[in-house]
Amino acid sequence: MTKEDIVLAIKDIIATIAPDEELDGLNNTDLLRDQIELDSMDFLDIVMELRKRYSVVVPEDSYGELATLDSCANYLEPFMAEKELKIGV
Amino acid sequence: MGQTVPSTCDTLIIGAGMSGLAAGIRLAQYDQNVVVLDRHALWGGLNSFYKKAGRPFDVGLHALTNYVDKGVRGKPLTRILRQLRIPYDALKLGQQWVSESAFPGVKLRFSNDFQLMRSEVAEKFPSQIDGFDRLSALLADYPSLPTAGMPVFARTRLAEFLTDEKLVDLLLLPILYYGSPTPHDIEWGSFVVLWKSLYEEGFARPQGGVRTILTLLRDRYKELGGQLHMRQGVAKLLHENGKAIGVVLDSGHEIRASRILSSAGLVETMALCGEALQEKFSEEKCAGEMTFVECISLLDTPLVDLGHDKTITFFNTTERLIYEAPEAAFDSRSGVICCPDHYDNQIPQHEPALRLTLRAHPQKWFDFTDEEYAATKESAWQAGHKAILPFAPDIRDHTVFVDTFTPRTVRQFTGHTRGVVYGSPIKSPDGTTELENLFLMGTDQGFLGIVGAMLSGIAMANVHALQASPS
């Protein structure tokens, strides 16, 4: 997966866990929690979905790396480069 | 019938009530091998349902609290639905009409629009409205979750805002009846949670009552692969070196688990853990004593035709608020009148219901002979329906069927010591216990009501079984 793919993967996870949020206008640089309604329970779900879909384990002290779409892509790239994008699972 | 009970699992959940099923859904969603056990044949715990003489009854659910409209974000109701991936519309919620807290000569009406209560306070207690506004502004900024801290009681904190004790009593009456394990007062953290869920948010009822929610939870849990085993009581909790490792069922079957989430209650869970812990958290030291008798009367006439349009009336027949375990088997000087048909969106019932809840003695009901038991149930109905006449119509000539549940019924169906409804006064906000890998959820974790129970199951599953679990 490229960084662009990782952003798509994260957006697809958010679409699953927060189906009522409008994701089209999301930008890559602002904090996700400032753009849409995501609380700590939702961030846990992003982490759990990454584990379920891509077998990527994000340790608790690294949850902060998931703050923006760009930081997600940067942090996850080493773990996800070899994986295939899964959409709509 | 059904699946075989396994001998190992990742997370074992004691109790198929709202918290147990919600926790089970969270864990099954993330592929844990999760087992929910319940001693009873019907799921739901304190909020369940049954049929008698061909008539459907609900237990527990007067109202679903924490009502917010669809799309309102960041509130307990919408958070649990998102976490459980249940669509808002599936609950088929109808909002309450109007409820009231009623004392002789003074009533405070409230609805799902907070302004109604505010305007009632402004009109009836003009000298208190500034304090009321300061109080409601402070509470609006509090988080919705129970917090650990020094036990401070609500009356002490409320005195900083309100000087009229009658207003304090009017505001406390619904809150105490909705969830206080302690007499006359409630711990401040629980007060805040209930203020938000009753007054800032409000009451609603799913079309079809508690069955609608319970069926959604059970179906969702099973669809995700969760195992639900009814009629499987836990006889003993196994532990080694301070760590919980599994359970032995009433049948003698043993299940080993990496962790255990128990909604059985503090005293009840510790009683499974051997003599030392049973003694440390004994009934004498730790059990609550607030329990209730509830008469459900089915009527030949809709209550509106008898001039009653309230959804829930919290009544108190004396000048000062009475909320304590009574000396007698029951006490009809204060209580709750609920009309489950007085919500929008309800299917009209052939026999409309009125539910009357009175405080009950935590022991006497267990000591009665069968004759005394039946006679006391009858006198609770008679005395209760006479006592509420200043607040509700006389339904005694309109009643076609009555079913009454008592502390004895509560203990039978939930296993709660003394048949208590709001658990122990000792709460564990983070769910931890004396044993590693054993966590409490539900009432004794400190969350209240149906939405609170589900939130408790979700929060405990998240913190202790998902976040903490190794890959």
Side-chain angles (χ1 to χ4, degrees):
Chain A
M1 259 189 274
T2 62
K3 283 189 182 180
E4 287 72 30
D5 289 338
I6 295 174
V7 167
L8 288 178
I10 295 290
K11 280 188 178 175
D12 190 60
I13 287 174
I14 296 174
T16 306
I17 64 177
D20 41 351
E21 297 293 339
E22 182 51 61
L23 304 184
D24 288 347
L26 279 188
N27 70 57
N28 290 7
T29 48
D30 289 330
L31 292 175
L32 280 167
R33 68 166 77 233
D34 287 347
Q35 300 186 68
I36 50 175
E37 178 87 20
L38 289 180
D39 63 21
S40 58
M41 286 181 167
D42 300 317
F43 276 94
L44 173 65
D45 277 30
I46 296 176
V47 170
M48 295 307 297
E49 287 292 335
L50 284 168
R51 181 151 120 184
K52 186 170 169 174
R53 297 180 188 191
Y54 301 105
S55 308
V56 173
V57 177
V58 180
E60 220 177 317
D61 54 12
S62 300
Y63 285 11
E65 306 285 349
L66 307 179
T68 70
L69 287 171
D70 270 346
S71 70
C72 284
N74 289 331
Y75 173 75
L76 293 169
E77 196 195 13
F79 312 109
M80 292 176 69
E82 304 299 313
K83 311 243 158 113
E84 273 194 35
L85 178 63
K86 295 176 191 166
I87 292 289
V89 284
Chain B
M1 234 171 55
Q3 303 154 296
T4 327
V5 184
S7 53
T8 59
C9 63
D10 296 323
T11 301
L12 185 136
I13 293 173
I14 303 176
M18 297 279 176
S19 64
L21 290 171
I25 288 172
R26 289 292 298 164
L27 301 178
Q29 191 155 276
Y30 292 114
D31 302 331
Q32 276 204 18
N33 181 356
V34 48
V35 173
V36 176
L37 302 172
D38 201 295
R39 179 168 279 138
H40 190 51
L42 269 179
W43 70 108
L46 267 173
N47 293 283
S48 194
F49 56 88
Y50 59 96
K51 263 195 174 176
K52 202 157 191 177
R55 297 164 156 103
F57 290 92
D58 273 9
V59 192
L61 183 100
H62 286 105
L64 180 137
T65 58
N66 301 87
Y67 175 82
V68 288
D69 288 333
K70 186 177 180 175
V72 173
R73 295 155 153 194
K75 296 293 183 188
L77 179 63
T78 39
R79 286 164 78 188
I80 60 166
L81 292 174
R82 189 188 268 194
Q83 287 270 301
L84 300 175
R85 299 188 191 166
I86 291 174
Y88 181 95
D89 292 333
L91 290 180
K92 299 185 199 162
L93 292 178
Q95 295 195 62
Q96 67 166 322
W97 295 354
V98 66
S99 294
E100 63 187 8
S101 176
F103 279 67
V106 57
K107 291 175 179 176
L108 212 54
R109 291 185 303 144
F110 60 98
S111 68
N112 293 356
D113 175 2
F114 187 75
Q115 288 310 311
L116 174 62
M117 173 176 271
R118 191 194 174 275
S119 67
E120 290 269 292
V121 173
E123 184 195 324
K124 294 168 185 174
F125 297 91
S127 70
Q128 302 292 301
I129 191 64
D130 291 344
F132 179 86
D133 284 342
R134 280 192 295 121
L135 173 68
S136 47
L138 173 86
L139 294 173
D141 289 335
Y142 265 70
S144 306
L145 301 180
T147 46
M150 288 293 288
V152 179
F153 277 87
R155 285 185 187 278
T156 313
R157 292 299 309 272
L158 289 172
E160 297 166 23
F161 301 90
L162 305 169
T163 51
D164 190 317
E165 291 188 335
K166 180 51 67 71
L167 178 58
V168 170
D169 276 358
L170 278 161
L171 293 171
L172 276 178
L173 178 63
I175 286 181
L176 297 188
Y177 266 97
Y178 241 91
S180 180
T182 46
H184 303 302
D185 209 339
I186 184 167
E187 179 274 320
W188 176 248
S190 301
F191 172 86
V192 174
V193 171
L194 285 166
W195 172 279
K196 288 176 172 293
S197 45
L198 269 61
Y199 298 152
E200 282 179 19
E201 293 158 19
F203 296 149
R205 184 175 192 266
Q207 201 179 81
V210 76
R211 280 173 181 76
T212 304
I213 305 181
L214 286 170
T215 305
L216 280 169
L217 292 178
R218 185 201 53 179
D219 290 354
R220 178 97 185 104
Y221 175 62
K222 289 197 151 181
E223 154 200 315
L224 291 163
Q227 297 185 57
L228 177 63
H229 296 285
M230 305 308 298
R231 296 180 201 272
Q232 297 291 351
V234 173
K236 196 173 157 193
L237 206 142
L238 302 170
H239 53 97
E240 261 173 25
N241 307 320
K243 288 185 185 172
I245 55 167
V247 297
V248 181
L249 304 184
D250 293 339
S251 64
H253 182 80
E254 203 172 299
I255 308 175
R256 297 281 170 142
S258 305
R259 66 195 71 77
I260 299 170
L261 301 177
S262 172
S263 63
L266 172 68
V267 173
E268 297 79 359
T269 303
M270 291 300 137
L272 301 169
C273 298
E275 263 178 39
L277 285 170
Q278 179 167 21
E279 170 53 28
K280 188 164 179 185
F281 297 93
S282 67
E283 180 180 332
E284 293 67 35
K285 289 182 212 159
C286 301
E289 54 177 25
M290 290 315 301
T291 181
F292 305 94
V293 53
E294 182 165 298
C295 308
I296 307 172
S297 306
L298 300 181
L299 312 176
D300 63 8
T301 310
L303 281 152
V304 279
D305 294 349
L306 301 174
H308 188 70
D309 64 354
K310 301 297 177 294
T311 302
I312 303 184
T313 302
F314 300 86
F315 71 92
N316 194 95
T317 62
T318 54
E319 287 302 312
R320 290 306 309 270
L321 194 164
I322 299 175
Y323 182 82
E324 64 191 354
E327 303 265 314
F330 64 88
D331 182 353
S332 54
R333 289 177 300 164
S334 72
V336 184
I337 306 159
C338 174
C339 308
D341 304 294
H342 292 184
Y343 291 87
D344 296 338
N345 191 34
Q346 296 301 306
I347 302 162
Q349 295 295 307
H350 166 59
E351 295 170 339
L354 183 143
R355 296 170 57 167
L356 173 61
T357 309
L358 305 172
R359 286 162 295 107
H361 192 280
Q363 183 56 47
K364 284 187 170 26
W365 293 88
F366 299 101
D367 301 335
F368 287 146
T369 63
D370 287 353
E371 291 74 27
E372 288 168 337
Y373 182 70
T376 315
K377 287 209 293 191
E378 171 65 19
S379 61
W381 185 80
Q382 291 289 355
H385 282 285
K386 196 170 164 207
I388 65 172
L389 290 179
F391 311 101
D394 194 341
I395 60 146
R396 286 172 292 179
D397 291 336
H398 294 282
T399 301
V400 294
F401 192 84
V402 179
D403 193 49
T404 299
F405 71 81
T406 73
R408 203 195 269 196
T409 330
V410 175
R411 189 174 70 177
Q412 183 189 341
F413 287 87
T414 68
H416 282 189
T417 311
R418 302 175 177 171
V420 295
V421 171
Y422 299 135
S424 168
I426 302 164
K427 303 296 182 195
S428 172
D430 65 3
T432 55
T433 67
E434 300 265 313
L435 295 176
E436 258 182 71
N437 303 332
L438 171 66
F439 306 98
L440 296 182
M441 61 183 175
T443 308
D444 280 348
Q445 195 228 325
F447 289 58
L448 296 156
I450 290 176
V451 170
M454 288 189 271
L455 195 55
S456 166
I458 291 168
M460 294 302 99
N462 285 353
V463 174
H464 299 303
L466 288 180
Q467 234 154 3
S469 72
S471 49

